[in-house]
Amino acid sequence: MPTPDLLTAELTLTGRITTASNATFLGSIGDAAVIYKPVAGERPLWDFPDGVLAHREMAAYLVSEILGWNVVPRTWLRDGPLGEGMVQLWQETDLAQNAVDLVATGEVPKTGWKQVLEGQDENGSMVALIHEDSPALRRMAVFDVLVNNADRKGDHILAMEDGHRHGVDHGLTFHSDHKLRTVLWGWLGDPLTSEELDGIDRLSEALHGELGHELADLLSADEIAALAARCTRMRSSGRFPAPSGEMPAVPWPLF
């Protein structure tokens, strides 16, 4: 049986993710399981233009592809049962793995993990927000800085069985103003690796070519210019940045 064309074959809805802020559906295109987010189901936001979250998800995928780190699962724009929207291949995660976790402050592992912050849980007990110290998660943190991700929650990181980590839910990205809010602050001030620097160089160069033309259909000129400026700034410093601005440095809720 031939593989269905993911762009044109029928998209059938099979369920809805009711915990999502915007309308988010499970679906299938032939044998391929997908996530479908119709533009018509996007809720208005005070700080992002209306009806563009799907475009930002697509732009995030294009940047991920240029970086070559497979952060964002395959994503595309197409028509569906509820109109145009973002479609993304479903990922089967390993439920036994947690890339980000909350643990009692006295139980933070001594190796393999980074602590981000401490606080009190709903019972008044002291807990620490931690994330694993892995190359895959480091690359995601670099990606988030570059795309100006305003919503990197713990549940937006998919732990795959082979150790890879995918990032999802990239509607709140690419704002021209600084919006970075993430749970991945564990490498604050650490120098970037040569692989990470090479990725930034690839992205900077691609913005002057085909990627720049593709992004022009998805983002404003100011947003593309701000992306280029973030590449230059991060490449020049060669380090993970510190939080800045008046907005909270982490999203809420954390997961």
Side-chain angles (χ1 to χ4, degrees):
M1 179 179 295
T3 301
D5 186 330
L6 295 176
L7 290 173
T8 60
E10 183 179 6
L11 195 170
T12 302
L13 301 187
T14 58
R16 181 168 183 174
I17 300 177
T18 57
T19 55
S21 299
N22 299 289
T24 303
F25 298 89
L26 299 172
S28 62
I29 304 174
D31 293 333
V34 298
I35 292 290
Y36 166 54
K37 298 181 181 180
V39 172
E42 295 178 5
R43 297 173 60 185
L45 298 168
W46 69 270
D47 55 346
F48 280 81
D50 293 343
V52 298
L53 301 189
H55 287 185
R56 294 171 193 276
E57 296 246 28
M58 183 65 199
Y61 171 70
L62 294 176
V63 168
S64 170
E65 288 295 283
I66 291 297
L67 290 171
W69 299 336
N70 192 26
V71 174
V72 183
R74 183 176 175 185
T75 304
W76 62 101
L77 298 174
R78 59 159 287 173
D79 285 333
L82 300 174
E84 183 190 31
M86 183 281 294
V87 181
Q88 188 173 83
L89 285 181
W90 173 263
Q91 304 298 310
E92 289 292 343
T93 60
D94 184 354
L95 299 180
Q97 298 186 48
N98 289 311
V100 181
D101 206 355
L102 280 174
V103 299
T105 53
E107 298 177 3
V108 177
K110 297 187 182 301
T111 59
W113 292 80
K114 295 284 191 177
Q115 180 172 327
V116 177
L117 54 81
E118 290 184 355
Q120 289 185 331
D121 64 14
E122 64 274 14
N123 299 316
S125 300
M126 294 301 297
V127 294
L129 175 67
I130 62 174
H131 62 68
E132 64 185 17
D133 184 8
S134 68
L137 219 57
R138 275 183 62 110
R139 291 190 291 267
M140 189 182 300
V142 174
F143 167 84
D144 283 344
V145 174
L146 297 174
V147 304
N148 198 18
N149 192 352
D151 196 34
R152 176 62 73 203
K153 294 181 172 69
D155 285 346
H156 294 175
I157 300 168
L158 307 184
M160 310 307 292
E161 186 176 5
D162 63 359
H164 185 66
R165 275 47 180 141
H166 281 302
V168 296
D169 287 322
H170 296 114
L172 301 186
T173 49
F174 296 105
H175 203 290
S176 55
D177 295 336
H178 177 74
K179 295 282 185 178
L180 183 61
R181 291 191 291 271
T182 174
V183 296
L184 301 180
W185 286 112
W187 300 283
L188 191 155
D190 286 1
L192 299 174
T193 66
S194 58
E195 179 190 12
E196 292 158 356
L197 292 170
D198 288 345
I200 297 173
D201 289 341
R202 283 193 297 274
L203 178 55
S204 294
E205 182 177 354
L207 287 175
H208 297 289
E210 183 177 354
L211 176 65
H213 294 299
E214 292 178 305
L215 292 181
D217 293 330
L218 303 169
L219 306 172
S220 71
D222 285 346
E223 288 166 342
I224 296 172
L227 169 59
R230 289 191 296 272
C231 290
T232 300
R233 204 158 46 239
M234 197 172 192
R235 186 62 174 85
S236 177
S237 71
R239 294 181 178 275
F240 282 93
S244 62
E246 298 180 356
M247 297 293 291
V250 296
W252 187 260
L254 298 171
F255 292 88

